[in-house]
Amino acid sequence: MTSKHLRRRTVLGAAVPAALALSATPAFSRPQALPGGGDLGPNVIVFDPGTPGIQARLDAVFAQQESAQFGTGRYALLFKPGTYNGLNAQLGFYTSIAGLGLSPDDTTINGDVTVDAGWFNGNATQNFWRSAENLALVPVNGTNRWAVAQAAPFRRMHVRGGLNLSPDGYGWASGGYIADSRIDGQVGPYSQQQWYTRDSSIGSWLNGVWNMVFSGVEGAPAQSFPNPPYTTLATTPVSREKPFLYLNGSEYRVFLPALRTNARGVTWGNGTPRGSSLPLTQFYVAKPGVSAATLNQALAQGLHLLLTPGIYHLDQPIQVNRADTVVLGLGYATLIPDNGVTAMKVADVDGVRLAGFLIDAGPVNSPTLLEVGPTGASRSHSANPTTVQDVFVRIGGAGAGKATTSIVVNSRHTIVDHTWVWRADHGTGVGWETNRADYGVVVNGADVLATGLFVEHFNKYDVQWFGERGRTIFFQNEKAYDAPNQAAIQNGSVKGYAAYRVGDAVTTHEGWGLGSYCYYNVDPTIVQHHGFAAPNRSGVRFHDLLVVSLGGQGQYERVINDIGSPTSGTSTVPSTIVSYP
C-alpha cells in the first residue's frame, strides 16, 4: 500500500467508524478470497454402482501405473456407497482406492482389491505408494491378495474372508501396515519379513518371518517373540484414525475420527463412528500447479487443504499455523520443495492432522522436509495432539534429491502413525553423495508416540530421539546399502551409526518390536557395531529387538549398545534381544 493510500486511510479513519475505514482499502491491495470446495479434478475417478465400464477403467489405470514406480501419474479411485459385483481392482503405484461411506460396510465390492508382483517377477519388495481404505470386500475365492511393501496402508477395511499378504508364488515381501480393519478370516503373511497391525480385529494369524507386531488387535496371536516372532500389546496407548472423504447424500465431507486411549478393535463396528466432520466447502481443493503462496493464502483464510492427485512444486514452505487444520492428500499428492526450502512447517498448536501425501526432496539440499512444531516447542497437546498419518518422504529415486533431515518433530504429544521415510537405494539420482541425507527422523518433542515407523538407508542416523517419554510400537529399518567402505560410516570410535538412537540425556523411553537389517552390497566387509543405541538406565526400555544381515552383506557385532550376539555368515538369521536392559 502506498503512502498516499496510508494518508487517505488515516484521514478516513478520523471521520468514520473503523469498520468502514477498513472497507476503504482499495480492492486491488487485498488478495481476493479463495473459494472452498469445488470439483476433485481429473485424477479422482468416482464410481457408483450404475457406472458403466468400471472394470475397464480400473484396468486402464492399472496398466498405466503397474510398473510406473517413479512416474508422474497419481490416481484416487472412489466408490460411492452401494454394492459392486465382479470387480478386481488391481492397484499399481500412486493409486488409492476408497469407499465413500461413513462405514466400510456402506460400500461393498463382491470381488477383490489386489496387489501382486507380476511386474517384478514375483518379488513384492518394491510395491510401494498405494492404499486401500473404507471398503468391504467379499473376495472371489475367499481370500484377498495384498502383497505390498512400505507405504501401502490398508486402513478401515472389512474383508469378509481371508487376507494373503504374499505375492503369487510366495516371493520376497517387505511390508506392511493394517489399521482399523476387520478381517473375518485368516491373515497369512507367509513371506512378509515384518508387519504391523493396529486397532483391528482378525479371525486368526498364520505365521511370521522376523517381526510381526500387534497393538490393540482382537484375535492377535499371543506374545511369543522371537519364536514365533510375535510382539503383542493388548491396546494402543493413544490413537486417532486418519481423516477420510465421504458422501453425506450428495455432499462431500471429511470425517475426523476422535482420539482414543488404550484403543482396541475397530472404530466403526457399532453404528456411527465417534468424531466430527467438515464440509468440503471448508477446504481449499488444490490442483497440481497451484503455488505455495496460494496454499498459504488458503490456510491464512481459515480453510483446510485437500490436495488432489498430482505433483506440487513449492518455492516456500506450506505454513500450517492454525489449530485443528487438516491437510489431506488424495492419490499420493506429492510435494517437491524447490531451491532447498522446507516443504511444510506446522506451528506449536493443537490438533493438526496431516495425512495421505508424499514429500519428494528436490535437487537443492533442504535442511528439513517436514517440521512438526518450531524449535523449542513446549506446549502440552495431550488432549488434542497433532497426527502425521501416511505421510511419506523420499530422497532420490525419482531424480536427485537431498535433505539433511527428513522429518523433525518438535511438538509434544505428536502421534506419527505410519510413515515411510526413505533415502532411495534404487531408481535415478541415487548414490552415496548424489542423494545425500544424513538423518531420517529426529524427535525433540516430549511424549511423542510412533506407531508404524519405517525409516531406511540414511547416511548417518536413521532415527534420533531426544524427547522425553517417547514410545515406538514397531520400527523397520535397513541401513544404507551403498556405503562405499568402512571409513564412510565410521562414527568416531564406533563402527557405523545406529538405526535408532535415543539421546544420552533421555531418562524415559520405550520401544516394542524394532528391527534393523544391513545389506552392504558395495562393500560386504563393512561391520556395523549395533542396530540400536540408548542410555543404559532403567527408564529406557526396549522389548523384542532384532538385527539381521541379509545374505552376509555386512554384519552387526551387537544388537543394542554392547549387548546381543553378532550376526554371522550368509544365513540371514536374526540376532535378537527380548528385553533391554
Side-chain angles (χ1 to χ4, degrees):
M1 193 181 293
T2 66
S3 58
K4 174 184 175 182
H5 292 140
L6 286 171
R7 287 198 302 272
R8 179 170 178 262
R9 170 76 173 276
T10 303
V11 171
L12 285 169
V16 300
L20 293 177
L22 286 174
S23 69
T25 305
F28 63 77
S29 70
R30 301 193 306 271
Q32 187 172 358
L34 295 167
D39 74 271
L40 300 177
N43 289 355
V44 176
I45 304 170
V46 181
F47 302 105
D48 65 50
T51 301
I54 297 176
Q55 187 65 55
R57 192 72 192 275
L58 296 173
D59 291 347
V61 172
F62 179 63
Q64 179 182 317
Q65 299 301 116
E66 179 183 11
S67 58
Q69 181 171 180
F70 299 111
T72 57
R74 304 284 188 275
Y75 291 93
L77 310 172
L78 305 182
F79 287 76
K80 293 182 180 181
T83 300
Y84 300 78
N85 294 313
L87 296 181
N88 181 18
Q90 300 181 81
L91 299 188
F93 287 97
Y94 314 108
T95 305
S96 297
I97 189 170
L100 288 169
L102 198 52
S103 162
D105 287 326
D106 293 340
T107 311
T108 298
I109 292 178
N110 288 308
D112 296 83
V113 171
T114 302
V115 178
D116 206 345
W119 74 278
F120 200 46
N121 301 313
N123 178 347
T125 60
Q126 292 183 22
N127 282 347
F128 313 137
W129 306 304
R130 63 200 75 194
S131 65
E133 295 185 62
N134 204 30
L135 291 164
L137 304 178
V138 184
V140 170
N141 71 354
T143 301
N144 189 74
R145 186 181 301 280
W146 185 256
V148 298
Q150 290 79 7
F154 197 80
R155 286 186 182 269
R156 201 177 177 79
M157 295 288 287
H158 184 190
V159 181
R160 298 177 193 159
L163 190 63
N164 183 339
L165 304 179
S166 71
D168 186 32
Y170 302 98
W172 290 339
S174 180
Y177 175 91
I178 294 170
D180 199 23
S181 293
R182 175 172 289 153
I183 292 91
D184 294 345
Q186 184 177 72
V187 182
Y190 300 104
S191 55
Q192 284 287 356
Q193 295 162 351
Q194 71 279 319
W195 199 276
Y196 176 48
T197 308
R198 178 182 63 71
D199 299 352
S200 293
S201 176
I202 62 176
S204 61
W205 190 274
L206 180 62
N207 70 327
V209 177
W210 295 332
N211 193 30
M212 305 281 122
V213 180
F214 309 84
S215 68
V217 179
E218 297 166 345
Q223 168 71 32
S224 59
F225 187 89
N227 187 27
Y230 297 149
T231 299
T232 303
L233 288 74
T235 61
T236 304
V238 188
S239 65
R240 188 174 68 193
E241 298 305 329
K242 175 178 173 284
F244 62 92
L245 191 68
Y246 75 104
L247 277 172
N248 180 28
S250 61
E251 177 198 20
Y252 282 107
R253 298 183 69 89
V254 173
F255 192 80
L256 307 176
L259 192 71
R260 297 203 291 171
T261 56
N262 298 317
R264 183 173 173 85
V266 300
T267 63
W268 46 268
N270 298 305
T272 304
R274 289 178 54 237
S276 58
S277 72
L278 297 169
L280 196 63
T281 53
Q282 292 185 21
F283 284 77
Y284 178 70
V285 180
K287 308 287 171 51
V290 70
S291 69
T294 298
L295 296 174
N296 282 327
Q297 181 191 339
L299 290 168
Q301 261 181 232
L303 293 171
H304 306 274
L305 295 183
L306 185 75
L307 304 173
T308 65
I311 295 173
Y312 298 75
H313 281 270
L314 307 173
D315 61 359
Q316 60 181 268
I318 298 174
Q319 301 275 2
V320 181
N321 295 325
R322 190 180 72 257
D324 299 313
T325 299
V326 180
V327 180
L328 176 61
L330 299 178
Y332 291 100
T334 301
L335 308 178
I336 302 179
D338 295 328
N339 303 319
V341 302
T342 297
M344 185 176 292
K345 296 185 177 185
V346 180
D348 192 19
V349 294
D350 275 354
V352 171
R353 305 182 195 227
L354 310 179
F357 56 88
L358 173 65
I359 300 174
D360 209 352
V364 178
N365 185 74
S366 293
T368 57
L369 293 172
L370 172 63
E371 292 181 12
V372 182
T375 300
S378 60
R379 294 175 55 191
S380 173
H381 305 291
S382 60
N384 188 12
T386 285
T387 43
V388 182
Q389 301 178 283
D390 303 345
V391 173
F392 306 122
V393 173
R394 178 173 68 194
I395 300 98
K402 293 185 178 182
T404 304
T405 304
S406 291
I407 297 179
V408 179
V409 180
N410 293 317
S411 285
R412 291 182 62 192
H413 300 102
T414 299
I415 300 172
V416 179
D417 175 45
H418 190 229
T419 189
W420 184 39
V421 183
W422 184 57
R423 175 182 167 267
D425 60 276
H426 62 269
T428 58
V430 171
W432 185 247
E433 297 295 342
T434 307
N435 62 330
R436 182 85 194 186
D438 283 352
Y439 308 110
V441 175
V442 174
V443 179
N444 297 313
D447 307 291
V448 171
L449 170 66
T451 52
L453 187 59
F454 299 71
V455 188
E456 298 189 291
H457 305 310
F458 285 84
N459 293 77
K460 292 185 178 179
Y461 291 111
D462 298 276
V463 172
Q464 293 191 92
W465 206 298
F466 301 113
E468 284 289 355
R469 298 176 299 281
R471 292 175 291 185
T472 295
I473 304 173
F474 182 89
F475 171 69
Q476 187 263 328
N477 166 263
E478 289 180 348
K479 295 302 299 174
Y481 293 173
D482 56 344
N485 49 49
Q486 188 77 45
I489 64 162
Q490 193 67 19
N491 180 16
S493 62
V494 179
K495 298 172 186 174
Y497 291 82
Y500 187 110
R501 174 199 175 203
V502 179
D504 294 342
V506 172
T507 61
T508 306
H509 187 91
E510 195 158 11
W512 297 262
L514 287 73
S516 177
Y517 322 150
C518 74
Y519 184 73
Y520 287 116
N521 62 338
V522 175
D523 181 359
T525 68
I526 289 175
V527 174
Q528 173 85 20
H529 180 62
H530 49 215
F532 303 90
N536 184 12
R537 50 178 63 104
S538 60
V540 178
R541 297 176 293 173
F542 289 95
H543 315 272
D544 302 355
L545 298 172
L546 71 94
V547 296
V548 63
S549 165
L550 304 181
Q553 305 290 294
Q555 301 289 348
Y556 292 90
E557 291 180 326
R558 295 288 183 260
V559 179
I560 181 169
N561 295 345
D562 297 319
I563 297 172
S565 302
T567 59
S568 62
T570 60
S571 57
T572 313
V573 173
S575 179
T576 61
I577 293 285
V578 173
S579 182
Y580 174 88

